[in-house]
């Protein structure tokens, strides 16, 4: 998986490309640790080019959302394809996250 | 009519038939099905001694044809055989192909043999080809002549060895129609065939051969709708499978995924099925303690039912990975529940078995 980070004002956008699974979720976790170490921004995950997500990836999103909300900011997920959206649906994440 | 007891056949060290036991009664139509190389044709060829069995007995109407004093030519006359490759005499006309045996072996007059041949050629729809030579006929016509030639010898049973395998698909039905007609008329037949629909329609009983045995036998409904044994089920449902062993927590997820993808591609499974298979495998494996147990996963695709099944077998203590107490949270379990159906767990012979069908909708 490739992760690209862009920062505009107090919003960090992470664009994920490829697969977010047991192995690559640790990469995303590490990247988020770096983001949170630098402050408490709004967070956007751009999933337009993410082909696959497993529960390991969802747990990383859940942890990130808890941290963002705790600091009073917003987290948003954008561009998910049908397969990834289906996983948000079956796990109930569609109801607890801001998914566009 | 025919009783086969403990029949075996070896070619050198190669055991083709291990222990065949079967009964064929008068008027029965038996289809013999099974994967290639499991001894189906050898079994037929042993029945009429085209191959000499290595052991066992073949009893026809109370006479053991393997007994030293058996009148083999006489007993063999009771059995006709139709071959995949027709085996017609190329230098003889169709009519002469049909009359040669009855004149030489049954002692019939030429006139009598020709009258019978004409009747049989009419029955197989080829009377107008009586003066043609085999090379002038299509494959389907040649096979119909071969059947008529076989009938000319007035056999009590006909053995068909893959009678349509050498034919173009367009010619299969004309040959099967003739065999169906013989079945209706009460001819006793044993047919080695790969035409499953035909076997189902025409037979009274079906022998499924595998491992050099009649692995399972039953009525067509039993064998085709409710096979009891694993290999029969796999064959009937045209199941292709792939297995992968996970022996350590540090297993290579991507190497396994590559093999799963290759399996799915080979069988042209839809993208969605492939995606869900990969995801279910990952989620399920995450629930096992791979320090404590080894897991073997099998993906089995039934071409007939267009269904992909995932089976995980694990060693160690009784453990159902889907019990919620075994998961860190509900996320993985929700994915598994959302993407699968027909989930079943059981423990057998110290192993845990979990099977599920992968949803594609």
């Amino acid at each position: 998986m490739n992760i690209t980070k862009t920062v505009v004002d107090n919003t960090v956008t992470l664009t994920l490309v490829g697969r977010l699974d047991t192995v690559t979720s640790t990469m995303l976790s590490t990247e988020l640790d770096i983001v949170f170490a630098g402050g408490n921004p709004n967070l956007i995950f751009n999933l337009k080019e993410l082909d696959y997500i497993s529960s390991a990836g969802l747990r990383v999103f859940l942890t990130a959302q808890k941290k963002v909300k705790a600091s009073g900011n917003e987290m948003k997920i954008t561009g998910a394809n049908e397969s990834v959206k289906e996983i948000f649906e079956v796990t109930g994440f569609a109801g607890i996250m801001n998914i566009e | 009519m025919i009783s086969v007891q403990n029949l075996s056949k070896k070619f050198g060290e190669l055991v083709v038939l291990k222990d065949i036991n079967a009964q064929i009664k008068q008027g029965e139509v038996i289809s013999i099905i099974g994967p290639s190389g499991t001894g189906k044709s050898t079994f037929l060829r042993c029945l009429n001694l085209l191959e000499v069995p290595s052991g066992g007995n073949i009893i026809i109407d109370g006479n053991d044809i393997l007994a030293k004093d058996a009148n083999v030519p006489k007993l063999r006359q009771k059995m006709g055989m139709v071959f995949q490759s027709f085996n017609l005499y190329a230098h003889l006309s169709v009519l002469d192909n049909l009359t040669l045996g009855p004149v030489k072996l049954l002692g019939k007059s030429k006139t009598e043999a020709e009258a019978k041949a004409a009747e049989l050629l009419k029955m197989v729809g080829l009377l107008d080809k009586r003066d043609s030579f085999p090379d002038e006929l299509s494959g389907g016509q040649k096979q119909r002549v071969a059947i008529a030639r076989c009938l000319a010898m007035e056999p009590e049973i006909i053995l068909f060895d893959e009678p349509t395998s050498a034919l173009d698909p367009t010619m299969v039905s004309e040959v099967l129609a003739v065999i169906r007609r013989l079945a209706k008329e009460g001819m006793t037949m044993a047919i080695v065939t790969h035409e499953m629909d035909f076997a189902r329609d025409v037979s009274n009983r079906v022998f499924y051969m595998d491992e050099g045995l009649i692995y399972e036998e039953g009525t067509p409904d039993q064998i085709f709708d409710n096979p009891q044994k694993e290999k029969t089920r796999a064959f009937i449902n045209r199941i292709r499978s792939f297995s992968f062993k996970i022996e350590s927590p540090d297993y290579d997820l991507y190497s396994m995924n590559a093999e799963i993808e290759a399996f799915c591609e080979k069988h042209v499974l839809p993208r969605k099925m492939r995606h869900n298979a990969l995801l279910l495998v990952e989620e399920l494996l995450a629930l096992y303690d791979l320090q404590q147990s080894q897991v073997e996963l099998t993906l089995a695709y039934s071409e007939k039912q267009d269904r992909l099944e995932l089976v995980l077998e694990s060693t160690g203590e009784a453990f159902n990975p889907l019990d919620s107490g075994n998961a860190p949270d509900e996320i993985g379990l929700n994915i598994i529940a959302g993407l699968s159906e027909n989930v079943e767990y059981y423990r057998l012979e110290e192993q845990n078995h979990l099977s599920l069908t992968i949803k594609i909708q």
Side-chain angles (χ1 to χ4, degrees):
Chain A
M1 183 179 69
N2 283 326
I3 305 173
T4 313
K5 182 167 72 177
T6 54
V7 183
V8 177
D9 299 329
N10 191 35
T11 299
V12 173
T13 300
L14 295 177
T15 301
L16 313 184
V17 178
R19 296 168 51 91
L20 183 53
D21 57 28
T22 308
V23 176
T24 57
S25 59
T26 54
M27 283 170 61
L28 180 60
S29 240
T30 307
E31 189 61 44
L32 284 165
D33 287 345
I34 296 167
V35 169
F36 291 122
N40 291 305
N42 295 306
L43 204 51
I44 298 173
F45 289 101
N46 180 349
L47 307 190
K48 203 175 162 189
E49 292 181 70
L50 188 75
D51 303 323
Y52 175 102
I53 189 166
S54 71
S55 62
L58 294 179
R59 288 189 194 97
V60 178
F61 285 159
L62 198 58
T63 306
Q65 174 153 292
K66 281 179 188 165
K67 286 184 181 171
V68 170
K69 292 251 165 159
S71 60
N73 290 319
E74 295 296 325
M75 186 178 112
K76 194 163 70 174
I77 292 172
T78 64
N81 70 23
E82 285 307 311
S83 299
V84 173
K85 269 188 187 158
E86 185 186 4
I87 301 307
F88 286 135
E89 292 290 338
V90 297
T91 52
F93 273 54
I96 58 168
M97 290 193 172
N98 181 5
I99 298 170
E100 289 183 352
Chain B
M1 183 179 187
I2 298 181
S3 173
V4 179
Q5 297 162 354
N6 309 112
L7 182 72
S8 62
K9 175 66 185 172
K10 287 181 195 172
F11 293 100
E13 291 299 302
L14 180 69
V15 180
V16 178
L17 301 178
K18 272 188 208 160
D19 184 19
I20 302 277
N21 292 285
Q23 304 278 336
I24 302 174
K25 296 178 195 126
Q26 191 160 11
E28 273 197 312
V29 178
I30 307 282
S31 287
I32 303 166
I33 61 170
S36 299
T38 49
K40 303 183 298 294
S41 294
T42 304
F43 172 46
L44 274 201
R45 293 171 69 84
C46 282
L47 284 182
N48 71 353
L49 301 184
L50 285 177
E51 299 289 352
V52 180
S54 307
N57 305 99
I58 300 171
I59 296 159
I60 300 177
D61 294 337
N63 301 303
D64 187 350
I65 63 171
L66 299 177
K68 280 182 184 164
D69 57 348
N71 183 349
V72 173
K74 178 93 179 155
L75 289 164
R76 207 184 245 164
Q77 270 180 22
K78 294 184 178 194
M79 277 190 259
M81 185 144 182
V82 174
F83 301 88
Q84 185 179 335
S85 50
F86 326 125
N87 292 9
L88 296 175
Y89 295 111
H91 63 290
L92 297 180
S93 69
V94 165
L95 191 70
D96 290 343
N97 262 283
L98 265 70
T99 56
L100 183 70
V103 170
K104 297 258 184 203
L105 298 170
L106 301 183
K108 291 197 175 186
S109 70
K110 190 150 176 69
T111 316
E112 195 183 358
E114 283 184 355
K116 179 72 179 172
E119 184 189 315
L120 291 169
L121 285 172
K122 191 174 176 191
M123 196 268 278
V124 300
L126 290 171
L127 186 56
D128 62 336
K129 300 288 183 188
R130 57 189 293 162
D131 297 320
S132 301
F133 283 84
D135 285 349
E136 297 166 331
L137 304 177
S138 70
Q141 289 170 333
K142 282 181 199 169
Q143 194 60 296
R144 283 187 281 155
V145 170
I147 294 170
R149 181 182 62 174
C150 183
L151 290 167
M153 292 299 290
E154 298 171 356
E156 292 177 21
I157 178 171
I158 304 182
L159 312 175
F160 288 89
D161 188 7
E162 299 193 30
T164 58
S165 295
L167 301 179
D168 286 343
T170 52
M171 293 171 185
V172 169
S173 61
E174 65 190 72
V175 172
L176 296 185
V178 169
I179 301 174
R180 275 181 218 276
R181 179 170 172 178
L182 293 175
K184 269 191 190 161
E185 290 172 359
M187 173 60 78
T188 311
M189 296 188 280
I191 309 163
V192 172
T193 183
H194 290 290
E195 301 283 342
M196 294 297 127
D197 291 340
F198 169 71
R200 186 185 184 117
D201 284 357
V202 82
S203 320
N204 306 107
R205 278 192 298 149
V206 178
F207 293 171
Y208 172 73
M209 282 189 69
D210 209 324
E211 299 179 350
L213 301 164
I214 296 176
Y215 182 84
E216 187 167 351
E217 68 165 280
T219 63
D221 284 352
Q222 285 168 340
I223 295 294
F224 289 104
D225 293 337
N226 191 23
Q228 296 299 303
K229 294 189 172 180
E230 190 185 335
K231 285 192 173 180
T232 320
R233 276 200 294 271
F235 180 79
I236 295 298
N237 293 320
R238 297 196 289 277
I239 292 174
R240 307 285 178 262
S241 64
F242 155 83
S243 292
F244 193 92
K245 257 190 189 157
I246 294 113
E247 293 171 320
S248 132
D250 304 319
Y251 74 95
D252 184 343
L253 174 70
Y254 292 142
S255 159
M256 180 185 70
N257 282 352
E259 290 194 39
I260 293 174
E261 295 230 33
F263 170 79
C264 292
E265 262 177 44
K266 185 176 169 189
H267 300 293
V268 204
L269 305 191
R271 194 179 169 78
K272 173 89 172 157
M273 195 184 265
R274 200 177 305 184
H275 174 271
N276 289 356
L278 290 168
L279 190 48
L280 282 165
V281 167
E282 182 184 335
E283 295 302 341
L284 283 160
L285 288 178
L287 300 173
Y288 286 87
D289 180 355
L290 298 173
Q291 298 274 15
Q292 301 298 322
S293 66
Q294 296 182 350
V295 179
E296 179 164 2
L297 73 88
T298 302
L299 279 169
Y301 175 63
S302 165
E303 196 182 317
K304 191 176 173 189
Q305 296 165 323
D306 192 22
R307 203 171 78 168
L308 185 61
E309 190 179 347
L310 173 60
V311 180
L312 290 103
E313 292 168 312
S314 65
T315 55
E317 299 289 307
F319 174 76
N320 180 355
L322 299 183
D323 285 346
S324 55
N326 295 325
D329 53 41
E330 295 290 313
I331 303 173
L333 294 178
N334 287 338
I335 292 177
I336 294 164
L339 302 187
S340 66
E341 55 195 349
N342 307 320
V343 180
E344 190 185 9
Y345 166 81
Y346 62 95
R347 187 163 168 84
L348 183 70
E349 293 173 356
E350 308 286 301
Q351 283 216 319
N352 301 297
H353 296 255
L354 179 72
S355 64
L356 48 85
T357 305
I358 295 171
K359 273 192 202 168
I360 49 170
Q361 294 303 323

